[in-house]
Amino acid sequence: MDNTEIGSLVAASLCILFGLLLCFAGYFLFRIAIFLTTFLAVASLLYPAIVEPVTDLEPWLAGLIAILAGLVIALLALCIWPIGVFLTGAWAGFLIGCVIMSTVNGGLIRVDWGAYLFLSLMALLCGILAVILQRPVVILATAISGAYLFLAGIDGFVYLLADHKGGGSFWLIVPFLMQGKLDQLDADWITWLFCALWVVFSIAGAIVQFAGPGRHYNHHHHHRGVVLVIQNDRGYEKIDTLA
């Protein structure tokens, strides 16, 4: 196993770990979820945008630029979390729009400007809904994004352990969806199985977050601070929290 394959296995392992956290505990891990989904959204949108039109740009360089831009904007979203909430919702809306577009071979809307307008409106609508509603939209967005990351990691392991003879195409689903070229994806049955599992895990993750042990969690009431307590005959009693 060479260094490239070792690096791929490490990346796949991280995708599995963070994907599970996002999918089943995204809202509970609010700030981590905002960082990861913002990074994923920016990097996934930027990479195909700069690797396609700029033909003389090496794919590894385009990937590096996308990763760095994703990290910068994700860190900004941590500092100003409403931006992160908006981008998280916009990412979910964009993905839903891509799925709707791909229901017809070649794209539901064949005119480029019309497709871009539709996807932009879907992203804007879901971004605004995320800021207004927050909890349900963030849960859905993290469940979908987490399921994708988790299964992309599993698919990476399948591809490497099968000696590059099976799998390995699932992570390309999002870029091909974005370009309306899903029918052109060179995929085997494993890829389509993972697509079905993406739906299953997204639903399962949303159910766990909505109805699981953390269903009463509200990130507004869980911020860092100094808790003031007093001791009485009933034990310790919280009296205030200093931000």
Side-chain angles (χ1 to χ4, degrees):
M1 183 176 293
D2 57 25
N3 290 336
T4 302
E5 290 183 333
I6 293 174
S8 298
L9 286 176
V10 171
S13 300
L14 290 175
C15 284
I16 292 172
L17 173 62
F18 289 120
L20 281 175
L21 289 175
L22 266 183
C23 186
F24 294 102
Y27 188 76
F28 185 76
L29 304 171
F30 185 79
R31 293 192 178 277
I32 296 176
I34 291 298
F35 178 85
L36 289 176
T37 51
T38 301
F39 169 76
L40 183 62
V42 173
S44 298
L45 291 174
L46 185 58
Y47 177 76
I50 60 179
V51 80
E52 278 284 332
V54 187
T55 54
D56 60 341
L57 193 63
E58 293 289 336
W60 70 267
L61 182 56
L64 179 61
I65 293 172
I67 289 172
L68 291 176
L71 287 173
V72 169
I73 297 178
L75 288 172
L76 176 64
L78 278 182
C79 298
I80 312 174
W81 64 261
I83 293 177
V85 172
F86 175 83
L87 290 175
T88 298
W91 169 241
F94 187 85
L95 282 180
I96 294 171
C98 287
V99 172
I100 294 173
M101 287 285 294
S102 66
T103 54
V104 176
N105 286 340
L108 185 63
I109 302 175
R110 304 294 176 92
V111 183
D112 286 347
W113 69 265
Y116 293 140
L117 178 62
F118 172 73
L119 293 175
S120 298
L121 289 175
M122 286 292 296
L124 180 62
L125 174 63
C126 289
I128 293 172
L129 285 176
V131 174
I132 297 173
L133 302 176
Q134 282 192 27
R135 186 172 183 272
V137 179
V138 170
I139 285 177
L140 290 174
T142 54
I144 294 170
S145 300
Y148 171 72
L149 267 184
F150 169 69
L151 292 170
I154 297 292
D155 188 47
F157 269 101
V158 171
Y159 181 66
L160 292 171
L161 296 177
D163 197 21
H164 304 180
K165 295 179 181 178
S169 297
F170 175 73
W171 73 275
L172 292 170
I173 286 292
V174 170
F176 272 77
L177 277 173
M178 288 162 50
Q179 299 173 53
K181 299 178 180 178
L182 189 59
D183 56 316
Q184 300 178 25
L185 178 62
D186 183 18
D188 55 14
W189 66 272
I190 296 176
T191 301
W192 300 118
L193 172 62
F194 276 86
C195 287
L197 289 175
W198 187 13
V199 176
V200 173
F201 272 89
S202 296
I203 294 173
I207 290 174
V208 168
Q209 292 194 60
F210 274 118
R215 63 186 180 276
H216 299 303
Y217 176 82
N218 187 324
H219 78 92
H220 289 294
H221 301 150
H222 292 75
H223 53 82
R224 293 181 179 179
V226 178
V227 178
L228 302 180
V229 297
I230 57 173
Q231 185 177 13
N232 52 36
D233 56 343
R234 292 172 297 177
Y236 289 94
E237 181 179 349
K238 175 181 173 182
I239 59 173
D240 199 7
T241 302
L242 302 179

